Amino acid sequence: MKVKVFDTTLRDGEQTPGVSLTPSEKLEIAKHLDDLGVDIIEAGSAITSQGEREAIKLIAKEGLNAEICSFVRALKIDIDAALECDVDSVHLVVPSSDIHIKYKLKKSKEEVLKSAIEAVEYAKQHGLIVELSAEDATRADINFLIELFKKGEEAKADRVCVCDTVGVLTPQKSQELFKIITSKISLPVSVHCHNDFGLAVANTCSAIISGAKQCHVTMNGVGERAGNAALEEVVCALKFLYNIDTNIKLEKLYEVSRVVARLMNLPVPPNKAIVGDNAFAHEAGIHVDGLIKNTQTYEPISPEVVGNRRRIILGKHSGRKALKFKLDLMGIKVNEEELNKIYKKIKELGDLGKYITDHYLLVIVNEVLGKAVEEKIKLEELTVVSGNKITPIASVKLLYPGEKITLIETAYGVGPVDAAINAVRKAISGVADIKLEEYKVNAIGGGTDALVEVVIKLRKGTEIVEVKKSDSDIIRASINAVMEGINLLI
Ligand code: KIV
Ligand code: ZN
């Protein structure tokens, strides 16, 4: 039997400090989650606001395969708001620990049980699937927890959920708790873990091997405080370490991770498991040597399995074999003498404290091979208009010389740089599908005429290039970097 994935990126994940999504952004993420294969999408909390209801309605009427769910408290007004959005199910949350019942609700346990039963019955009478969740369950009296779930069962709830609201479970306690709950409750039991001590994924896996049938997760582990159990880590740990399947299409993980990162404006840390850019990056000579012989020496799984890719990072510690391996990965053929020359230059740059990006490497290769960097697409004209009370707009004219084609496009943006990059991306959309993965600006110097250094990462399929450009004009630096990246990728 497959473990079900309940994704709460759009509810608990959106509770990440500083994150707020528009309805169309929520819809975009929901479509990607559906495509990824999640079983349930918690689209938000319908009672929260008009905008939130609009987002949940949009998602509910999209006709996705996933069950669409709204968070509700044990209150009729919350359930009515969810019904107005046409969701399939409600995640009905009831505080269960003494701390929450006494200080947050200021009610007795009997009152909590009564309102929970009434809310479950009300939601069921209105045709909803009900998941009854016990908030702060891991600090609750276990007898009360079981009583709450039993009442839920009698009121015809469909599933129950144990929430480790403040992340205090350990893998051992999780096993004990879920063994008890799943032996006493006949409904499917869900697990919802937070990462306050960095144990959310381990605790989720422990719950699953102890009988839980469903896990609550968020993409990239986003969520309140230290976040929730990360979807990509839980499903991969279940699959590769415990041999337990889910419906997730693993090869889409990297792409969906980046969609969420971009729309939430929360970059994925490079060392993030499974989807981080360093998750399959290798620099140490001894590791690269092992990889050349057999990639299993230093990789637990192949990067393509999760849509990520192998990266060989060149620096002053890299050996000739690593360089050759990387050039092969990039499809560049060189002879022994050329290899030695490229290797020497890399060492020199490494000694100057430079990090060898793919772009640098190509410049070196071209220099050694006596080739000019081939400019397949050339920026002919760029106009950007920005100011007070005007939406920034840019127009570009690109030349595709080999094909003698002129590409002209106009685009809006939230700022002038965004407009310019959007116009370039629109113009080349028929030539190549290139995505901007990352954009960073560093100021060099302090005045208004300071040089700015722009660092961009562009992606085409699984290929990623990083380019740095500096200029006193941020728009020029950005567009030059983007143009060079595009030329490297195509
Ligand atoms: O962590 C938690 O307890 C929650 C509930 C409100 C479901 O997110
Ligand atoms: Zn939570």
Side-chain angles (χ1 to χ4, degrees):
M1 232 236 353
K2 287 184 177 170
V3 164
K4 281 197 173 181
V5 172
F6 178 114
D7 181 278
T8 180
T9 305
L10 295 176
R11 200 274 302 168
D12 228 350
E14 208 199 2
Q15 288 172 219
T16 303
V19 171
S20 176
L21 298 165
T22 63
S24 67
E25 288 171 337
K26 281 197 143 195
L27 178 62
E28 190 178 338
I29 293 179
K31 287 202 235 165
H32 276 94
L33 291 172
D34 190 57
D35 198 33
L36 181 66
V38 310
D39 299 282
I40 298 147
I41 296 175
E42 190 174 25
S45 163
I47 196 70
T48 304
S49 69
Q50 186 53 43
E52 186 77 342
R53 281 190 286 285
E54 200 188 307
I56 301 174
K57 277 182 201 167
L58 268 181
I59 296 169
K61 71 166 190 242
E62 188 62 28
L64 303 177
N65 291 320
E67 173 187 314
I68 307 302
C69 177
S70 170
F71 170 96
V72 295
R73 295 165 297 175
L75 296 172
K76 273 191 179 169
I77 47 161
D78 281 31
I79 299 168
D80 288 340
L83 285 166
E84 187 198 320
C85 299
D86 229 0
V87 292
D88 303 306
S89 62
V90 284
H91 177 207
L92 200 159
V93 181
V94 180
S96 62
S97 67
D98 290 354
I99 309 170
H100 275 227
I101 292 174
K102 187 169 163 200
Y103 296 105
K104 193 174 90 168
L105 277 191
K106 297 191 185 352
K107 281 189 178 167
S108 67
K109 285 184 172 169
E110 291 63 40
E111 286 171 304
V112 171
L113 288 176
K114 186 168 174 285
S115 58
I117 300 160
E118 283 171 4
V120 173
E121 285 173 348
Y122 184 72
K124 288 307 297 177
Q125 280 155 16
H126 287 80
L128 292 163
I129 298 169
V130 177
E131 178 158 332
L132 174 63
S133 225
E135 190 181 14
D136 205 17
T138 51
R139 292 191 295 180
D141 164 9
I142 182 129
N143 295 321
F144 178 70
L145 198 58
I146 291 167
E147 194 180 352
L148 171 66
F149 287 161
K150 285 236 178 269
K151 299 271 186 220
E153 213 165 41
E154 285 161 23
K156 301 274 179 289
D158 299 274
R159 311 182 284 259
V160 294
C161 176
V162 175
C163 295
D164 185 26
T165 303
V166 290
V168 291
L169 264 188
T170 64
Q172 289 74 15
K173 282 190 203 155
S174 180
Q175 278 202 20
E176 287 158 20
L177 180 62
F178 279 85
K179 273 190 185 144
I180 298 173
I181 304 280
T182 54
S183 68
K184 306 251 180 227
I185 304 295
S186 56
L187 296 176
V189 179
S190 239
V191 54
H192 178 113
C193 291
H194 278 269
N195 206 28
D196 298 69
F197 290 93
L199 290 172
V201 172
N203 293 336
T204 302
C205 292
S206 282
I208 299 290
I209 58 167
S210 309
K213 295 278 182 291
Q214 180 179 284
C215 52
H216 284 207
V217 287
T218 60
M219 201 67 225
N220 299 337
V222 292
E224 288 271 359
R225 306 184 310 279
N228 290 54
L231 182 153
E232 64 280 8
E233 294 177 20
V234 169
V235 298
C236 286
L238 288 177
K239 168 87 190 158
F240 299 110
L241 306 180
Y242 293 96
N243 207 11
I244 296 173
D245 283 328
T246 62
N247 284 320
I248 298 298
K249 297 181 190 110
L250 300 181
E251 69 283 3
K252 294 190 183 255
L253 284 171
Y254 183 90
E255 187 192 342
V256 182
S257 150
R258 290 312 183 272
V259 170
V260 170
R262 174 171 54 83
L263 293 171
M264 290 197 163
N265 204 7
L266 290 173
V268 178
N271 62 336
K272 172 88 186 55
I274 311 294
V275 291
D277 279 339
N278 287 354
F280 300 92
H282 311 271
E283 180 169 354
I286 206 165
H287 285 209
V288 178
D289 186 52
L291 283 173
I292 295 169
K293 292 171 181 145
N294 183 336
T295 53
Q296 285 181 20
T297 51
Y298 287 101
E299 284 173 354
I301 54 171
S302 286
E304 310 81 54
V305 170
V306 292
N308 204 336
R309 66 172 199 129
R310 180 171 303 123
R311 290 175 178 80
I312 304 299
I313 310 298
L314 296 178
K316 63 177 174 190
H317 305 295
S318 309
R320 240 182 224 85
K321 280 188 189 156
L323 172 62
K324 176 80 175 67
F325 189 54
K326 178 156 178 106
L327 292 175
D328 285 348
L329 275 181
M330 293 170 85
I332 297 169
K333 301 264 166 291
V334 290
N335 61 31
E336 200 59 28
E337 193 193 335
E338 289 159 348
L339 184 74
N340 286 340
K341 284 190 188 158
I342 297 167
Y343 182 68
K344 191 165 164 263
K345 290 207 180 259
I346 285 173
K347 288 275 165 191
E348 282 163 13
L349 282 168
D351 282 340
L352 293 173
K354 292 224 188 294
Y355 150 65
I356 319 294
T357 62
D358 290 3
H359 168 245
Y360 257 147
L361 180 61
L362 270 174
V363 171
I364 296 169
V365 168
N366 282 324
E367 210 178 290
V368 167
L369 302 185
K371 282 202 223 159
V373 178
E374 199 188 344
E375 224 183 2
K376 293 179 189 120
I377 299 188
K378 203 168 157 220
L379 178 69
E380 187 73 358
E381 285 169 20
L382 167 69
T383 314
V384 183
V385 185
S386 175
N388 193 13
K389 296 194 180 155
I390 167 175
T391 307
I393 183 167
S395 71
V396 290
K397 184 171 162 192
L398 307 180
L399 287 185
Y400 199 10
E403 318 267 336
K404 302 211 170 14
I405 294 173
T406 306
L407 307 163
I408 299 177
E409 268 303 345
T410 316
Y412 291 103
V414 290
V417 172
D418 189 42
I421 295 179
N422 286 345
V424 171
R425 285 178 48 211
K426 235 169 123 184
I428 60 139
S429 60
V431 180
D433 183 17
I434 291 179
K435 294 193 171 71
L436 179 67
E437 288 269 319
E438 226 176 275
Y439 176 88
K440 274 187 280 185
V441 184
N442 308 313
I444 309 170
T448 51
D449 60 349
L451 264 189
V452 287
E453 180 187 67
V454 171
V455 187
I456 57 141
K457 269 193 195 163
L458 293 179
R459 171 180 166 93
K460 178 171 161 259
T462 55
E463 281 305 303
I464 293 183
V465 291
E466 183 181 287
V467 184
K468 280 186 198 167
K469 284 279 164 196
S470 37
D471 199 301
S472 52
D473 180 327
I474 188 168
I475 301 174
R476 248 185 348 239
S478 308
I479 288 302
N480 288 342
V482 167
M483 289 308 300
E484 203 153 308
I486 289 172
N487 277 306
L488 288 171
L489 282 172
I490 61 169

